[in-house]
Amino acid sequence: MKNRIIDKLTIPQIVVCIYLSLILSGAFLLMLPVSSQAGTWTNFVDAIFTATSAICVTGQVTLNTAEHWSAFGQTIIITLIQIGGLGFLTIWMLFFTIRGAKVNLKQRNLVLETLNLSSSYGMQDIVKNIVKVSLSIQALGALALSLVLIPRLGLSTGFFYSIFHSISAFNNAGFDLFGDSLIGFQDNSYILLTIASLVFSGGLGFIVWMDIISFPKNKKLTRYSKFTLILTGIILTISIIFIGLSEWRYGTFNHLSLGDQLANIIFMAVTPRTAGYANVDYMDVSHAGLFMTFILMFIGGSSGSTAGGVKVSTIGLVVMFMYRMFKGEEINVFSRHISYDNVKRAFFIIFVGIIMIISSSMILFITEEIPHGFGMEYILMEVMSCFGTVGLSLGLTPDLTVIGKVVLMLLMFVGRVGLMTFFWSLGGPKKESKVHYPEMNIMVG
């Protein structure tokens, strides 16, 4: 009976069901008295919000992670982050591979859908390499952080904090145990740049990383990796310059040395692309800086990574299409033609993303109260942050109404499973129409 139901579900529907099951399981564990420092039950709404934020590697919290959750609760959160970042199906397939069991076509397609890959060729090797690369980078990150955190916090606490923040940063989650994110480390460039490097690594994408690692041997990169690296470099450079100029003019980091100012600017340019760690109270950031942060949260990281957003390649493809359209040329990337279906998918993702942001913002404008001295940015920060699975806030999250929490949970969920996967899960199997009507033109513009 169970297999019959699963066989009737489409791949996107199975992916959505798996993520929902993980969220509910995590919420149940977080509700238990053992998960809170006070030893009391945590209400279901806050528990499921935290579980959703962890599985969707966001970092948006209604309860302070350092103050509310016990060591057990924090361990549950970091486990959910690791599962959400790598993908449950990646871990599940790794166990299959270790046991020597065969993986059928539907199971392969499930992994493809969660990792946003286009081909199942060498799937088991890809999964093993993804886990190796991810754990290696996180181990190096934890080691680097421990050099500062162990002398500061002691061996056991410093060790735990190092592992927690390395996993959280690499998976672009943004959960912290310091209570004020990384604001207390404004004058510690080493910590800021280490976390920023982990965030950047996780947001670059597993396939790109495997390409980079094999470069010394193969002496070449795939076209997708080159496309992604070039776009990432352009976006990062523009954001560093823009944020640097806006915050220098606003005087946000005037109390710091020149070196620390530069480290903070780089951090602000890297983390909004889905990490959610804050090195500054965003209430003290210029409007230009906030606007750039919104743009970076919408763009997100690379496809097949731990990052959210509409993805770098999606934006790059749309920009290239518009540029080529004005010149009357076909879309070609590195001597390869880009299909029209690929372009349609990119436009769909951006359009639906904008619609979700607008509709969610309208709901929150009605349900939530904006404090005196704030404007629309108070709501937009939460909405953009959850859509891009970032985790930055201007302070609204702990005071959200139940409706507001549900809206943001939906945004985080869609941001993690992917817009295409989520909306395809709402329909049945794809059917080819047998009727084709004549074309017509509709006046636009």
Side-chain angles (χ1 to χ4, degrees), residues 220 251 263 312 384 435:
K220 64 178 182 178
V312 168
M384 298 291 290
V435 180

Side-chain angles (χ1 to χ4, degrees), residues 114-125:
T114 56
L115 294 177
N116 201 16
L117 303 177
S118 57
S119 171
S120 62
Y121 179 74
M123 171 66 72
Q124 288 169 304
D125 288 335

Side-chain angles (χ1 to χ4, degrees), residues 120-277:
S120 62
Y121 179 74
M123 171 66 72
Q124 288 169 304
D125 288 335
I126 289 173
V127 167
K128 283 192 287 187
N129 287 330
I130 284 173
V131 175
K132 279 182 188 176
V133 169
S134 301
L135 296 182
S136 298
I137 293 174
Q138 289 173 58
L140 288 172
L143 179 63
L145 291 173
S146 68
L147 298 178
V148 172
L149 297 182
I150 288 178
R152 178 179 291 202
L153 303 171
L155 181 60
S156 59
T157 304
F159 183 68
F160 180 71
Y161 272 47
S162 299
I163 293 174
F164 186 98
H165 291 93
S166 181
I167 294 173
S168 181
F170 177 79
N171 287 291
N172 286 202
F175 279 85
D176 77 278
L177 299 178
F178 301 111
D180 62 349
S181 198
L182 298 180
I183 295 175
F185 291 93
Q186 277 190 357
D187 59 351
N188 193 322
S189 298
Y190 178 82
I191 288 289
L192 292 181
L193 294 178
T194 300
I195 293 290
S197 299
L198 286 165
V199 170
F200 181 81
S201 300
L204 199 55
F206 301 120
I207 303 304
V208 176
W209 263 113
M210 286 190 286
D211 229 10
I212 292 171
I213 290 169
S214 64
F215 181 77
K217 180 181 177 182
N218 300 330
K219 303 298 180 186
K220 64 178 182 178
L221 296 171
T222 62
R223 291 176 177 85
Y224 168 73
S225 293
K226 285 191 280 187
F227 186 60
T228 300
L229 288 169
I230 289 170
L231 289 172
T232 300
I234 292 171
I235 292 169
L236 186 60
T237 302
I238 292 172
S239 57
I240 288 173
I241 293 171
F242 188 90
I243 291 174
L245 290 173
S246 65
E247 300 316 301
W248 171 76
R249 182 174 177 271
Y250 200 66
T252 307
F253 301 113
N254 280 356
H255 59 288
L256 299 173
S257 67
L258 186 61
D260 286 339
Q261 285 187 45
L262 181 59
N264 277 270
I265 293 300
I266 292 171
F267 191 88
M268 282 185 72
V270 171
T271 56
R273 293 180 56 217
T274 81
Y277 278 114

Side-chain angles (χ1 to χ4, degrees), residues 358-370:
I358 291 172
S359 56
S360 300
S361 298
M362 289 175 69
I363 294 171
L364 264 63
F365 282 136
I366 295 170
T367 62
E368 311 305 317
E369 185 177 339
I370 300 177

Side-chain angles (χ1 to χ4, degrees), residues 266-287:
I266 292 171
F267 191 88
M268 282 185 72
V270 171
T271 56
R273 293 180 56 217
T274 81
Y277 278 114
N279 61 323
V280 63
D281 188 335
Y282 273 82
M283 289 188 285
D284 299 327
V285 173
S286 66
H287 283 100

